[in-house]
Each structure stands twice: as structure tokens, then as C-alpha cells.
Amino acid sequence: DAKTTQPTSMDCAEGRAANLPCNHSTISGNEYVYWYRQIHSQGPQYIIHGLKNNETNEMASLIITEDRKSSTLILPHATLRDTAVYYCIVRLELNYGGSQGNLIFGKGTKLSVKP
Amino acid sequence: EPEVTQTPSHQVTQMGQEVILRCVPISNHLYFYWYRQILGQKVEFLVSFYNNEISEKSEIFDDQFSVERPDGSNFTLKIRSTKLEDSAMYFCASRRGNSNQPQHFGDGTRLSIL
């Protein structure tokens, strides 16, 4: 699976949009981009995923560049409860090339939402 | 919304003892996983399980570890003879069978080895 690069930490003011970048320049055609977050020591929480189109759900939006080498997770109106470590993970489609879908976590971006 | 549940939330065990961590995955999910996170470190993959057998495991998952789905609802991780370095948060995850569906995680079991 392709490696990802994320900033170590970011700050965001409460109520503003939080834009978290991720570089995945070696991503291949069958690899999806997944975003998870981990609040304190809870289990990782799924946020959103995409292949090449932009995606939006009730939690966030995912913008993937046309060449798929980078993406941005957008939390439109950050709250204090969004303070967490955010992980960008690139993963092969299940069963493609023998992939069993296990996730490889990096260190992520520690997002601090401040009042 | 259905969720993955893990018990106990905290397990304290003497070194050398056996421990079993329990998970109830989401009911219509087909793929099951265990991960661990040593305090202050990254989340690490341990093992994946599908169709009643291990499909992939990491170097961490040595002969001291085993997994089982004994009754079609529970998914367990057993550590046969615990070591101090097994102290960590252990997370269970499950996913549906569709190719790009995400994994959903439980809130983990904190394992403390004394």
C-alpha cells in the first residue's frame, strides 16, 4: 500500500473549517483513500473514504486531486469535540492483489480545535 | 447504529498468565481484525480473519497469539503466556464483504501486564 505524509499537528479555531492535507504521491489505481480519527485513547473512528471523486457525508468532505497524489479532509465547522488525531490511510481494494484490507496507520495529524 | 463491542474495557493480568480478549463484531460483517496500540505509539495491525481462518498476520502475531470465532458472534484474541511488553490497547474491527467498505473499530481493551 502507498505511503502517506501528513503534518504532525494543526490548530483550528472553533466554528471554522479545518482542512487537513495528506500526500500520497505513489498511490496506485486500485487504492482508496480512507480517513479515520482517534479521540484520546478511543478506537479509531471511520470518517470518510474515496477513490477519485470528491465525497461528502454528515461528518466531513474529502477532496482528492485529479492526479490522486494528494487529498484534503474538510471538517466544515470544527467543534472542540473534533480535537483528535486524524489518519489518512491508502489501502488496496479488498482481494485485489491478495489484499485482506488491513490498515497501516501512520502517526497522523493531531488537530487541536481551540475556543 | 450498530457498533463493535469489546470486553472487558480494562484487563489486569500477571505476567505469564493467559488472557482472552473478547469482541462482538457488527452482525452482518464478514471480515474481522485485531490491532494493538502501545501507549504513545502507532496503531499496529495484528491479524485478519475471514471464513473461519486467519487470512493475514503481522510479525507481532507470533505463536503466543491465537484468534477464534467460536459461536458465529464472538471474535476472541488469546495471548497464551503474557509478557510485560504485551501491555497495550487492543482494538477489534470488522467490515462488510464489499470491496471498499470501511472497517469499524471497537473502543478497545486496555491490557495491563504486571
Side-chain angles (χ1 to χ4, degrees), chain A residues 26-39:
Chain A
T26 60
I27 192 170
S28 68
N30 293 88
E31 289 180 312
Y32 286 77
V33 180
Y34 288 78
W35 283 84
Y36 283 78
R37 72 181 182 184
Q38 190 173 26
I39 297 173

Side-chain angles (χ1 to χ4, degrees), chain A residues 41-43, chain B residues 4-6 89-92 105-109:
Chain A
S41 56
Q42 295 176 21
Chain B
V4 176
T5 56
Q6 291 186 242
M89 284 290 292
Y90 287 81
F91 297 110
C92 172
F105 286 76
D107 273 337
T109 292

Side-chain angles (χ1 to χ4, degrees), chain A residues 34 36 38 91 100-101, chain B residues 33 35 37 56 95 100 103:
Chain A
Y34 288 78
Y36 283 78
Q38 190 173 26
R91 197 196 78 192
Q100 298 300 313
Chain B
Y33 305 84
Y35 293 79
Q37 186 175 31
E56 192 169 0
R95 55 171 287 170
N100 65 347
Q103 293 179 33

Side-chain angles (χ1 to χ4, degrees), chain B:
Chain B
E1 188 172 321
E3 56 185 30
V4 176
T5 56
Q6 291 186 242
T7 55
S9 57
H10 191 189
Q11 173 79 47
V12 181
T13 301
Q14 291 288 333
M15 185 173 61
Q17 295 296 305
E18 174 184 286
V19 66
I20 297 176
L21 309 182
R22 303 181 191 280
C23 169
V24 179
I26 296 172
S27 65
N28 61 349
H29 285 193
L30 300 177
Y31 291 80
F32 313 107
Y33 305 84
W34 283 101
Y35 293 79
R36 79 171 187 190
Q37 186 175 31
I38 295 171
L39 186 64
Q41 297 188 23
K42 294 188 279 188
V43 177
E44 302 173 288
F45 166 73
L46 291 178
V47 65
S48 59
F49 191 86
Y50 170 70
N51 201 25
N52 275 325
E53 60 183 21
I54 290 173
S55 45
E56 192 169 0
K57 59 184 180 179
S58 72
E59 291 177 355
I60 303 168
F61 195 89
D62 62 21
D63 292 344
Q64 294 299 312
F65 291 88
S66 62
V67 289
E68 198 176 36
R69 189 158 159 78
D71 56 12
S73 62
N74 291 286
F75 179 50
T76 61
L77 174 70
K78 184 195 292 186
I79 309 175
R80 196 179 356 261
S81 177
T82 51
K83 304 187 280 275
L84 293 176
E85 53 264 39
D86 293 327
S87 294
M89 284 290 292
Y90 287 81
F91 297 110
C92 172
S94 69
R95 55 171 287 170
R96 294 174 63 183
N98 310 67
S99 62
N100 65 347
Q101 290 301 301
Q103 293 179 33
H104 294 274
F105 286 76
D107 273 337
T109 292
R110 178 173 299 284
L111 178 62
S112 300
I113 306 300
L114 304 179

Side-chain angles (χ1 to χ4, degrees), chain A residues 26-68:
Chain A
T26 60
I27 192 170
S28 68
N30 293 88
E31 289 180 312
Y32 286 77
V33 180
Y34 288 78
W35 283 84
Y36 283 78
R37 72 181 182 184
Q38 190 173 26
I39 297 173
H40 195 43
S41 56
Q42 295 176 21
Q45 179 189 22
Y46 165 74
I47 302 172
I48 200 166
H49 74 284
L51 182 64
K52 48 188 166 184
N53 298 322
N54 297 338
E55 302 288 342
T56 295
N57 63 20
E58 65 279 2
M59 288 183 70
S61 294
L62 173 61
I63 308 298
I64 302 175
T65 57
E66 197 168 334
D67 63 7
R68 302 185 69 238

